[in-house]
Amino acid sequence: MTLEEGLDASNLSSHHGNHHHHHLMDWLEDSISFLPTFPNELYSVPEEIAHCQWWVQDQNQPLTAAAAVAAVAEAPSIAIVTAKPEPLPEMPKAELPKKRKLAARQTAGVFEEDRKPQVNNGSKKGHGRGSMSNSGSGGGASKEVRWAEQLLNPLAAAIDAANLYRAQHLICVLQELASPTGDANHRLAFYGLQVLSRNFTSSLSSPLNYASTDPRLFRSALIKFHEVSAWFAFPNCLANAAILQAMGGRAGPVRSGSLHVVDVGVSHGLQWPTLMEALTRRGMGLVGQGMVKLTVVETGSGGPFGSAPAGYDFVPQLMRYGRSIDLNLRVERGEVGRGPGKETVVVCLQFRAGRVGPGFWKAVREMEPDLLVLTEMEEGRGRGEGKGFARRAEMLWGFLESTSVAFKGRDSEERRVVEGEAARLLEEEGEEGEGWGNERWKEKMEGEGFKEEGFGEEAVEAGRALLKKYDGNWEMKIATDGAVGLSWKGQSVSFCSLWKPAYKTTAGVLSSGGRRH
């Protein structure tokens, strides 16, 4: 049996019968009573910054993105203004929604992304070995088409320079074009305007995100996003494949003893049912034949995708599913540490490496894991104004464009939850210049006493097979150092790499101190 079969949830029923299939579907598709529909309110700018006397146009003509970008480019860069200029009569508030809709319709014919997915003909484009660095401007669209960034980046620069007058100008333009239900440009303008306007007022409400939603809708959003997008499904697949690889690979029996997975990630439990099923198929972790232990390490709520709503707990569902497939499973929440006895230890560190505390790396190194799986965003170099904001806006653009394709342009509560959570990326405080990517994390890991390992062919094939289920704009790239990258329309999104201790330590065994379930 191949690994891609072992990791494909669609094949589970053929191996474990209707009983096990029923329980897995319970995990994936429990009935959900949704909250009332998230209010579709258009963005409004606070009164104190709503005066836009510079923007004079024919009130019968809708504002287009092209005209807005051209006007901003031609507008002089005004010095810092300490006194509020006398405002001209502002546009009636009642007319804003109508004008915004007209602008969106007129803009769509020129700027809206092509939502037709590329046909995946099975070619291996992008699967060859080489660098995972970003190519082109990224995101699959020219800078001329990506007008939201051309307005948001100057706004971020104006705010950074305390140029209130220019910031007012840009905010007024953006409020005409921003929408939480348009294409990637309109959505990026909406989320960017939400974040940047908080420099002027604290009264704005945040978009729907992981922490603010209902646990049932949160779980539904996780499942739906995993189903339609490779953003997290692909690195989850690679991590699971690497864990199976550490337990013995394709040939021969798996290792004896227990498997201990330390979960430091953002899957919120969704990653593990498929791995659990694959382990039981290989005879690992069955009652009386070893144990599978999962330690969930909390890293705080900072950054996108790490938060969860109050009351959400995936442990009971995992335990129930483990019992249904006769898996000897134990789940605990605790700290990094190797338990007593013989066990294969795998640390799964996904999208949280920059959030761990100062003692994390020392604790991981001292526990001497058999394998560490590192997955992180592949951050490109910021271009244009706004310092780190430009880089973060570029990353969010790729996310919003890919979700538009994934959801086929249709709006839903699940889509709003994941996009609102992704927009938290714009709130990050980032450094100017190049962000953290594969090369910088490679230096970090080597400095912490780890050496890089390559993925086995079985794991690579599992990742390649998974991508065939998603839009053809997703590509897999394998770097010369062995890391596997995920890209969207040629723009690097994330990378996954494997690490092992470069030498033995003399530290004693650490106690996990976890709470057992």
PDB file of all heavy atoms in Angstrom, residues 27 62 70 84 88 140 158 161 176 238 247 293 325 352 369 379 430 447 489 492:
ATOM      1  N   TRP A  27     -16.206  12.857  12.890  1.00  0.00           N
ATOM      2  CA  TRP A  27     -15.146  13.835  13.141  1.00  0.00           C
ATOM      3  C   TRP A  27     -15.190  14.960  12.112  1.00  0.00           C
ATOM      4  O   TRP A  27     -15.034  16.125  12.423  1.00  0.00           O
ATOM      5  CB  TRP A  27     -13.800  13.138  13.105  1.00  0.00           C
ATOM      6  CG  TRP A  27     -12.662  14.105  12.993  1.00  0.00           C
ATOM      7  CD1 TRP A  27     -11.992  14.449  11.873  1.00  0.00           C
ATOM      8  CD2 TRP A  27     -12.088  14.867  14.053  1.00  0.00           C
ATOM      9  NE1 TRP A  27     -11.037  15.380  12.162  1.00  0.00           N
ATOM     10  CE2 TRP A  27     -11.068  15.648  13.491  1.00  0.00           C
ATOM     11  CE3 TRP A  27     -12.339  14.972  15.424  1.00  0.00           C
ATOM     12  CZ2 TRP A  27     -10.295  16.520  14.251  1.00  0.00           C
ATOM     13  CZ3 TRP A  27     -11.561  15.834  16.163  1.00  0.00           C
ATOM     14  CH2 TRP A  27     -10.561  16.590  15.578  1.00  0.00           C
ATOM     15  N   PRO A  62     -18.873  56.861 -11.009  1.00  0.00           N
ATOM     16  CA  PRO A  62     -18.318  56.049  -9.926  1.00  0.00           C
ATOM     17  C   PRO A  62     -16.806  56.070  -9.931  1.00  0.00           C
ATOM     18  O   PRO A  62     -16.178  56.222 -10.980  1.00  0.00           O
ATOM     19  CB  PRO A  62     -18.859  54.642 -10.230  1.00  0.00           C
ATOM     20  CG  PRO A  62     -19.053  54.646 -11.720  1.00  0.00           C
ATOM     21  CD  PRO A  62     -19.488  56.047 -12.072  1.00  0.00           C
ATOM     22  N   ALA A  70      -4.152  56.257 -10.229  1.00  0.00           N
ATOM     23  CA  ALA A  70      -3.543  57.327 -11.010  1.00  0.00           C
ATOM     24  C   ALA A  70      -3.546  58.638 -10.238  1.00  0.00           C
ATOM     25  O   ALA A  70      -2.560  59.378 -10.229  1.00  0.00           O
ATOM     26  CB  ALA A  70      -4.288  57.488 -12.339  1.00  0.00           C
ATOM     27  N   LYS A  84      -5.772  70.796  11.197  1.00  0.00           N
ATOM     28  CA  LYS A  84      -6.764  70.190  10.311  1.00  0.00           C
ATOM     29  C   LYS A  84      -7.277  71.230   9.319  1.00  0.00           C
ATOM     30  O   LYS A  84      -7.765  72.280   9.715  1.00  0.00           O
ATOM     31  CB  LYS A  84      -7.928  69.649  11.151  1.00  0.00           C
ATOM     32  CG  LYS A  84      -8.938  68.855  10.345  1.00  0.00           C
ATOM     33  CD  LYS A  84      -9.947  68.242  11.297  1.00  0.00           C
ATOM     34  CE  LYS A  84     -10.962  67.420  10.548  1.00  0.00           C
ATOM     35  NZ  LYS A  84     -11.940  66.811  11.468  1.00  0.00           N
ATOM     36  N   LEU A  88     -14.180  70.701   2.715  1.00  0.00           N
ATOM     37  CA  LEU A  88     -15.264  70.986   1.793  1.00  0.00           C
ATOM     38  C   LEU A  88     -16.443  70.100   2.177  1.00  0.00           C
ATOM     39  O   LEU A  88     -16.295  69.131   2.915  1.00  0.00           O
ATOM     40  CB  LEU A  88     -14.823  70.708   0.358  1.00  0.00           C
ATOM     41  CG  LEU A  88     -13.738  71.642  -0.206  1.00  0.00           C
ATOM     42  CD1 LEU A  88     -13.389  71.201  -1.611  1.00  0.00           C
ATOM     43  CD2 LEU A  88     -14.182  73.091  -0.204  1.00  0.00           C
ATOM     44  N   GLY A 140       0.601  35.821  -9.100  1.00  0.00           N
ATOM     45  CA  GLY A 140      -0.016  35.516 -10.368  1.00  0.00           C
ATOM     46  C   GLY A 140      -0.682  36.695 -11.034  1.00  0.00           C
ATOM     47  O   GLY A 140      -1.345  36.550 -12.040  1.00  0.00           O
ATOM     48  N   ALA A 158       2.414  56.900   4.797  1.00  0.00           N
ATOM     49  CA  ALA A 158       1.962  58.203   5.274  1.00  0.00           C
ATOM     50  C   ALA A 158       1.719  58.172   6.780  1.00  0.00           C
ATOM     51  O   ALA A 158       2.061  59.115   7.501  1.00  0.00           O
ATOM     52  CB  ALA A 158       0.689  58.607   4.535  1.00  0.00           C
ATOM     53  N   ALA A 161       4.961  58.173   8.612  1.00  0.00           N
ATOM     54  CA  ALA A 161       5.605  59.481   8.582  1.00  0.00           C
ATOM     55  C   ALA A 161       4.779  60.551   9.277  1.00  0.00           C
ATOM     56  O   ALA A 161       5.139  61.732   9.243  1.00  0.00           O
ATOM     57  CB  ALA A 161       5.866  59.892   7.129  1.00  0.00           C
ATOM     58  N   GLU A 176     -14.032  54.005  -0.693  1.00  0.00           N
ATOM     59  CA  GLU A 176     -14.907  53.879  -1.855  1.00  0.00           C
ATOM     60  C   GLU A 176     -14.788  52.504  -2.513  1.00  0.00           C
ATOM     61  O   GLU A 176     -15.728  52.025  -3.143  1.00  0.00           O
ATOM     62  CB  GLU A 176     -14.555  54.951  -2.893  1.00  0.00           C
ATOM     63  CG  GLU A 176     -15.055  56.337  -2.540  1.00  0.00           C
ATOM     64  CD  GLU A 176     -16.563  56.425  -2.680  1.00  0.00           C
ATOM     65  OE1 GLU A 176     -17.072  56.289  -3.800  1.00  0.00           O
ATOM     66  OE2 GLU A 176     -17.216  56.609  -1.648  1.00  0.00           O
ATOM     67  N   LEU A 238       2.516  16.501   4.339  1.00  0.00           N
ATOM     68  CA  LEU A 238       3.958  16.256   4.391  1.00  0.00           C
ATOM     69  C   LEU A 238       4.412  15.889   5.797  1.00  0.00           C
ATOM     70  O   LEU A 238       5.242  14.989   5.979  1.00  0.00           O
ATOM     71  CB  LEU A 238       4.715  17.491   3.908  1.00  0.00           C
ATOM     72  CG  LEU A 238       4.744  17.759   2.403  1.00  0.00           C
ATOM     73  CD1 LEU A 238       5.522  19.035   2.126  1.00  0.00           C
ATOM     74  CD2 LEU A 238       5.366  16.596   1.649  1.00  0.00           C
ATOM     75  N   MET A 247       8.690   6.275  11.435  1.00  0.00           N
ATOM     76  CA  MET A 247       8.266   5.033  12.069  1.00  0.00           C
ATOM     77  C   MET A 247       8.573   3.789  11.240  1.00  0.00           C
ATOM     78  O   MET A 247       8.204   2.690  11.609  1.00  0.00           O
ATOM     79  CB  MET A 247       6.773   5.081  12.355  1.00  0.00           C
ATOM     80  CG  MET A 247       6.386   6.100  13.403  1.00  0.00           C
ATOM     81  SD  MET A 247       7.232   5.848  14.973  1.00  0.00           S
ATOM     82  CE  MET A 247       6.620   4.244  15.445  1.00  0.00           C
ATOM     83  N   LYS A 293       1.009   8.778  21.613  1.00  0.00           N
ATOM     84  CA  LYS A 293       0.786   9.879  22.547  1.00  0.00           C
ATOM     85  C   LYS A 293       0.925  11.194  21.803  1.00  0.00           C
ATOM     86  O   LYS A 293       1.869  11.405  21.031  1.00  0.00           O
ATOM     87  CB  LYS A 293       1.789   9.822  23.704  1.00  0.00           C
ATOM     88  CG  LYS A 293       1.575  10.928  24.744  1.00  0.00           C
ATOM     89  CD  LYS A 293       2.403  10.708  25.994  1.00  0.00           C
ATOM     90  CE  LYS A 293       3.889  10.854  25.723  1.00  0.00           C
ATOM     91  NZ  LYS A 293       4.681  10.781  26.974  1.00  0.00           N
ATOM     92  N   ILE A 325     -11.207   3.068  16.206  1.00  0.00           N
ATOM     93  CA  ILE A 325     -10.309   2.300  15.334  1.00  0.00           C
ATOM     94  C   ILE A 325      -9.317   1.477  16.155  1.00  0.00           C
ATOM     95  O   ILE A 325      -8.277   1.043  15.635  1.00  0.00           O
ATOM     96  CB  ILE A 325      -9.560   3.228  14.358  1.00  0.00           C
ATOM     97  CG1 ILE A 325      -8.752   4.296  15.106  1.00  0.00           C
ATOM     98  CG2 ILE A 325     -10.532   3.892  13.386  1.00  0.00           C
ATOM     99  CD1 ILE A 325      -7.897   5.181  14.183  1.00  0.00           C
ATOM    100  N   ARG A 352       4.475  28.134  13.873  1.00  0.00           N
ATOM    101  CA  ARG A 352       4.561  28.733  15.213  1.00  0.00           C
ATOM    102  C   ARG A 352       6.011  28.886  15.691  1.00  0.00           C
ATOM    103  O   ARG A 352       6.238  29.237  16.846  1.00  0.00           O
ATOM    104  CB  ARG A 352       3.792  27.887  16.242  1.00  0.00           C
ATOM    105  CG  ARG A 352       2.339  27.664  15.940  1.00  0.00           C
ATOM    106  CD  ARG A 352       1.564  28.953  15.763  1.00  0.00           C
ATOM    107  NE  ARG A 352       1.333  29.652  17.018  1.00  0.00           N
ATOM    108  CZ  ARG A 352       0.835  30.893  17.079  1.00  0.00           C
ATOM    109  NH1 ARG A 352       0.576  31.560  15.981  1.00  0.00           N
ATOM    110  NH2 ARG A 352       0.609  31.459  18.250  1.00  0.00           N
ATOM    111  N   PRO A 369      14.823  14.763  20.033  1.00  0.00           N
ATOM    112  CA  PRO A 369      13.769  14.098  19.264  1.00  0.00           C
ATOM    113  C   PRO A 369      14.355  13.296  18.111  1.00  0.00           C
ATOM    114  O   PRO A 369      15.425  13.614  17.592  1.00  0.00           O
ATOM    115  CB  PRO A 369      12.923  15.273  18.748  1.00  0.00           C
ATOM    116  CG  PRO A 369      13.881  16.422  18.674  1.00  0.00           C
ATOM    117  CD  PRO A 369      14.810  16.233  19.847  1.00  0.00           C
ATOM    118  N   GLU A 379       8.494  33.982   3.468  1.00  0.00           N
ATOM    119  CA  GLU A 379       8.254  35.412   3.349  1.00  0.00           C
ATOM    120  C   GLU A 379       9.164  36.008   2.285  1.00  0.00           C
ATOM    121  O   GLU A 379      10.374  35.828   2.328  1.00  0.00           O
ATOM    122  CB  GLU A 379       8.497  36.121   4.681  1.00  0.00           C
ATOM    123  CG  GLU A 379       7.565  35.658   5.791  1.00  0.00           C
ATOM    124  CD  GLU A 379       7.749  36.469   7.059  1.00  0.00           C
ATOM    125  OE1 GLU A 379       8.342  37.569   6.981  1.00  0.00           O
ATOM    126  OE2 GLU A 379       7.309  36.003   8.123  1.00  0.00           O
ATOM    127  N   GLY A 430       6.698  43.786  11.798  1.00  0.00           N
ATOM    128  CA  GLY A 430       7.781  43.114  11.073  1.00  0.00           C
ATOM    129  C   GLY A 430       8.946  44.049  10.827  1.00  0.00           C
ATOM    130  O   GLY A 430       8.819  45.264  10.816  1.00  0.00           O
ATOM    131  N   GLY A 447      22.114  26.639  14.009  1.00  0.00           N
ATOM    132  CA  GLY A 447      22.647  27.289  15.203  1.00  0.00           C
ATOM    133  C   GLY A 447      22.141  26.678  16.492  1.00  0.00           C
ATOM    134  O   GLY A 447      22.796  26.778  17.533  1.00  0.00           O
ATOM    135  N   LYS A 489       0.646  30.174  -7.944  1.00  0.00           N
ATOM    136  CA  LYS A 489       0.917  30.954  -9.152  1.00  0.00           C
ATOM    137  C   LYS A 489       2.365  31.429  -9.189  1.00  0.00           C
ATOM    138  O   LYS A 489       2.649  32.577  -9.531  1.00  0.00           O
ATOM    139  CB  LYS A 489      -0.038  32.136  -9.246  1.00  0.00           C
ATOM    140  CG  LYS A 489      -1.480  31.736  -9.537  1.00  0.00           C
ATOM    141  CD  LYS A 489      -2.346  32.961  -9.809  1.00  0.00           C
ATOM    142  CE  LYS A 489      -3.758  32.549 -10.199  1.00  0.00           C
ATOM    143  NZ  LYS A 489      -4.624  33.728 -10.510  1.00  0.00           N
ATOM    144  N   SER A 492       6.115  31.695  -3.795  1.00  0.00           N
ATOM    145  CA  SER A 492       6.317  30.789  -2.673  1.00  0.00           C
ATOM    146  C   SER A 492       5.402  31.164  -1.514  1.00  0.00           C
ATOM    147  O   SER A 492       5.284  32.331  -1.160  1.00  0.00           O
ATOM    148  CB  SER A 492       7.774  30.827  -2.205  1.00  0.00           C
ATOM    149  OG  SER A 492       8.633  30.320  -3.210  1.00  0.00           O
TER     150      SER A 492
END
